[in-house]
Amino acid sequence: MKPETLNFFDKVYEVAKCIPYGRVTSYGAIATYLGAARSARMVGYAMNGSGGKDVPAHRVVNGKGLLTGKHHFEGTNLMQQLLESEGVEVVDNQIQNLDKVYWDPSKEL
DNA sequence: CTCTTGACTGAGG
DNA sequence: GCCTCAGCCAAGA
């Protein structure tokens, strides 16, 4: 095993999979948890490889609770629908009760 | 090795 | 409160 190489992407997937049902987190939160606080973009970039994996990318949004990555999903409102199905209020690509559904890996994991 | 891109974030106007 | 600018880091060409 080469933890030096299998780092970012794999870790992002691990954390993303650990996101509880009906909760969401931000790229920056995951990046910070991984020790790469300034690499929030890489988290999202890593999610590009989440296709075909068990990574609930729809539970990962930006720090504002905005579904920035929805454009990478198939449909136009797929991501929102998934979140709403989990009990997360989403309006116009924006998480409503963000304070209630927000899940911080650094604190809860 | 250099340049570009990107699912971000924070600070400033 | 909204918009714009700059910084950040890693992967791909």
Side-chain angles (χ1 to χ4, degrees):
Chain A
M1 291 288 277
K2 292 174 84 270
E4 309 298 284
T5 31
L6 306 177
N7 221 293
F8 230 80
F9 283 50
D10 276 352
K11 276 191 170 184
V12 172
Y13 303 145
E14 293 292 300
V15 177
K17 284 193 237 176
C18 288
I19 301 174
Y21 179 93
R23 298 291 178 85
V24 294
T25 192
S26 64
Y27 302 96
I30 297 175
T32 301
Y33 176 74
L34 300 182
R38 310 319 208 256
S39 302
R41 295 175 159 148
M42 299 296 87
V43 178
Y45 193 73
M47 293 319 246
N48 274 314
S50 62
K53 301 184 184 301
D54 304 312
V55 180
H58 58 271
R59 290 182 190 154
V60 185
V61 297
N62 72 343
K64 311 295 185 298
L66 189 64
L67 311 189
T68 48
K70 76 167 296 177
H71 298 282
H72 291 261
F73 279 78
E74 300 180 14
T76 45
N77 59 336
L78 174 61
M79 191 173 186
Q80 181 175 325
Q81 287 287 264
L82 287 167
L83 289 169
E84 291 183 316
S85 297
E86 298 186 359
V88 179
E89 268 185 275
V90 181
V91 178
D92 191 41
N93 308 331
Q94 173 75 47
I95 305 281
Q96 298 306 291
N97 43 4
L98 182 62
D99 295 34
K100 300 179 182 180
V101 299
Y102 191 75
W103 177 81
D104 191 338
S106 301
K107 295 172 182 169
E108 313 218 30
L109 194 56

